[in-house]
Amino acid sequence: MPDRPDYAALTRGQIALLDRINAGEAGLAVLNQLVQLAQDVLGGKGAGFAEYSPGHGRIIAGSGVCERAVGRRVDREDTRLTEGNRTLVISLDSLNDEFASQIEGGDLHRMLGARCEIGGLIVGSLHVYYGEDAGEPTAEHHAVLELLAANVGHMYGDQAGLPVHGDGPVVAALSDGLAIVDREGIVQLWNPAAEQLTGSSAAEVLHRALQFPVPPPGQVLVHRLPSGRWLKVTSGDLPHTPAMRVVTFRDSTDQDRRHEDRDLFVAVTSHELRTPVTVIKGYADTLTNHWESLGEDGRREAVRVIGARAGELARLVDRLLSATSDDGEVGGSPPGPFDLVDGLRAAAGELPADLRRRLVLDQLPGELPKAFGDRDSLATIVTELATNADKYSAPETPVEVTAAADEATVTFRVADRGIGVKPEHVERAFERYWQGDSTDRGRNPGAGLGLYLVRRIVERQHGWVSLRPREGGGTVAEVRLPRA
């Protein structure tokens, strides 16, 4: 670690960031550049940003040795960064987390972290990681990281391309209307969604009394605006700032969205169930009515198709049962060492013929260190990722499967040359029932369950999965599992 931050690099980096923002860029691309800037200026081996949701966070941007951790879920059991000083040096040995041992052979020693806030609401934390030979960060290092963390907070406040994680208070604060008021009800913060919902700009409401009543914490108030729009209003005390209260509100018509999602789920999955059932019944009827005339080869082929479709149906039912449960375990075999390349080839062999033909496995290595997990689950993971790639790319383009290993993980990637994934959607795509814009849904709309299920299966095996745009066009899905 250098004795002082690289202020020349900081100045150049801040100018470059401002140039991108002034040019209309936003979201993950800018966030990734800011994370890289933190590593460069502060002399770390890597840097990362974890976005927070209830009970856990997720690494959504990384550089250096932390780049491979993008998509990884991290626990929030260590609350030291959510209270007290805005920056803190934390020994990685004191964290109940496998992260340090999963990068660079476990030679990371400490991290300098800073919480990122908007209006007192913590949206995540920015971290720079150091090896054992690095010195202690100075007050200047702390101050620079605090500055960069404040920049991240402003990015969330601008609500352009962020947040990408879809089930936490960050989303509630930014996609819903949000106001922060003092005990007299005077507005101190008014986010862009509040402007859209109420039709009142920040200039019109800041430092004035809130235009609708605030319910007590834990209660819900339904309020009708003069425009005729109904708001569902909730409130809560701002953590560590008892004199302030957070008020969130949304259009009550949003309640219908979950019902629409469920209707779509029922419609699409009914179709998915009907297809294998129809094939199984058709071949079973053929065997019953034409046993003698089919001959030995015909009977064997019919039984083979029935078996394949029955396996497909079993996986589909398991998928639906797992995906419709918020807390239930995803079924699977006990974890153990297995050959990832062999498992990938076997899983690809179980795909439907038209999809199997699109898969390119030529770049798979002949041998890799063994992974540790549930080999049988690869069939579901590969099916979902390959189906997703097929759905969003032209039929004649290849879907490439590659694999590699490092000191702590074994990785495989499924890459297509399709329409690509928007940077702001790389995490939202893993939400249950979430789907992109109708223009982005490819040839089949789906029910928004596949990637949700993949993430649950992979994380049950202490791995992680991520999506990212592919250079040159398309999408890369990356799955990392622990080495045996």
Side-chain angles (χ1 to χ4, degrees):
M1 178 193 303
D3 294 335
R4 302 187 68 195
D6 186 342
Y7 289 109
L10 177 63
T11 302
R12 291 193 301 269
Q14 292 278 60
I15 292 172
L17 285 170
L18 286 173
D19 287 343
R20 295 186 71 170
I21 293 170
N22 290 335
E25 292 189 62
L28 274 179
V30 177
L31 179 61
N32 272 302
Q33 184 171 335
L34 195 151
V35 169
Q36 181 68 59
L37 180 61
Q39 177 189 338
D40 295 342
V41 171
L42 297 175
K45 300 187 71 172
F49 172 73
E51 187 183 72
Y52 290 170
S53 69
H56 70 275
R58 197 174 296 281
I59 299 171
I60 65 169
S63 65
V65 297
C66 299
E67 184 176 359
R68 71 187 73 174
V70 169
R72 187 181 187 278
R73 175 173 168 150
V74 292
D75 291 332
R76 290 185 62 186
E77 295 176 357
D78 193 302
T79 60
R80 286 173 285 181
L81 264 178
T82 61
E83 54 191 22
N85 295 332
R86 291 178 181 268
T87 60
L88 190 66
V89 176
I90 299 176
S91 168
L92 296 180
D93 294 336
S94 69
L95 293 177
N96 181 24
D97 190 79
E98 301 171 340
F99 181 52
S101 65
Q102 289 180 330
I103 334 182
E104 289 289 309
D107 64 349
L108 296 181
H109 182 62
R110 63 164 67 93
M111 70 178 182
L112 174 62
R115 64 175 179 264
C116 306
E117 300 175 286
I118 168 177
L121 183 76
I122 301 174
V123 298
S125 53
L126 180 63
H127 308 268
V128 178
Y129 292 86
Y130 298 98
E132 190 170 2
D133 56 347
E136 189 74 17
T138 67
E140 293 181 63
H141 290 83
H142 283 257
V144 168
L145 188 63
E146 185 174 345
L147 169 67
L148 296 177
N151 289 344
V152 175
H154 284 299
M155 290 180 64
Y156 275 83
D158 291 340
Q159 200 182 356
L162 294 170
V164 293
H165 189 66
D167 61 354
V170 175
V171 175
L174 299 176
S175 62
D176 291 354
L178 176 138
I180 293 180
V181 301
D182 60 22
R183 288 302 181 186
E184 283 71 44
I186 304 302
V187 177
Q188 306 298 319
L189 182 143
W190 191 251
N191 78 338
E195 295 185 356
Q196 295 173 4
L197 285 170
T198 63
S200 299
S201 68
E204 294 171 319
V205 300
L206 283 176
H207 311 301
R208 295 180 173 87
L210 191 63
Q211 57 187 277
F212 48 81
V214 177
Q219 297 185 23
V220 178
L221 172 71
V222 178
H223 176 78
R224 188 174 187 269
L225 295 173
S227 64
R229 171 174 283 169
W230 289 90
L231 298 181
K232 179 178 287 186
V233 186
T234 60
S235 76
D237 292 329
L238 190 63
H240 317 301
T241 313
M244 297 290 181
R245 178 167 291 175
V246 179
V247 183
T248 59
F249 43 95
R250 63 170 56 186
D251 192 324
S252 61
T253 56
D254 285 350
Q255 291 178 338
D256 297 332
R257 188 171 299 159
R258 182 169 292 275
H259 297 299
E260 294 171 2
D261 288 341
R262 293 300 179 97
D263 291 343
L264 176 64
F265 165 72
V266 171
V268 175
T269 53
S270 295
H271 170 76
E272 291 186 24
L273 286 167
R274 189 178 297 114
T275 300
V277 168
T278 300
V279 173
I280 291 170
K281 185 177 185 304
Y283 274 90
D285 289 344
T286 300
L287 286 173
T288 300
N289 299 324
H290 305 283
W291 180 269
E292 297 298 337
S293 61
L294 280 174
E296 183 67 19
D297 291 343
R299 291 193 292 268
R300 287 184 178 277
E301 175 62 15
V303 171
R304 186 196 67 79
V305 172
I306 289 174
R309 289 294 187 164
E312 176 186 334
L313 182 60
R315 287 193 298 273
L316 178 59
V317 170
D318 182 63
R319 170 193 182 205
L320 300 180
L321 291 175
S322 300
T324 52
S325 168
D326 287 308
D327 303 312
E329 285 294 321
V330 180
S333 304
F338 70 94
D339 186 319
L340 178 66
V341 172
D342 181 66
L344 289 172
R345 293 189 183 278
E350 296 182 22
L351 294 171
D354 55 344
L355 183 52
R356 190 168 63 246
R357 283 193 293 269
R358 294 195 60 187
L359 246 60
V360 177
L361 307 175
D362 298 345
Q363 300 181 57
L364 286 175
E367 190 173 324
L368 279 179
K370 291 190 181 298
F372 189 83
D374 176 10
R375 185 186 189 277
D376 294 340
S377 72
L378 281 180
T380 300
I381 296 171
V382 171
T383 297
E384 298 296 349
L385 295 182
T387 300
N388 207 57
D390 175 67
K391 187 188 303 182
Y392 292 100
S393 58
E396 68 276 7
T397 57
V399 176
E400 301 169 4
V401 181
T402 58
D406 57 33
E407 297 87 346
T409 62
V410 183
T411 308
F412 72 91
R413 301 177 181 89
V414 178
D416 63 62
R417 285 296 184 190
I419 61 176
V421 58
K422 295 178 180 178
E424 62 266 31
H425 291 166
V426 296
E427 280 295 314
R428 297 209 67 194
F430 291 99
E431 293 177 38
R432 186 174 61 174
Y433 302 130
W434 187 87
Q435 300 176 81
D437 298 334
S438 59
T439 55
D440 297 339
R441 292 184 190 172
R443 297 187 298 279
N444 304 295
L449 291 173
L451 291 177
Y452 168 81
L453 181 61
V454 166
R455 173 160 274 176
R456 292 190 67 194
I457 292 173
V458 172
E459 290 188 347
R460 180 178 60 84
Q461 301 174 68
H462 304 288
W464 62 95
V465 57
S466 63
L467 285 183
R468 61 178 67 108
R470 186 181 184 186
E471 187 174 348
T475 303
V476 178
E478 179 181 276
V479 175
R480 285 187 177 269
L481 295 171
R483 276 181 54 162

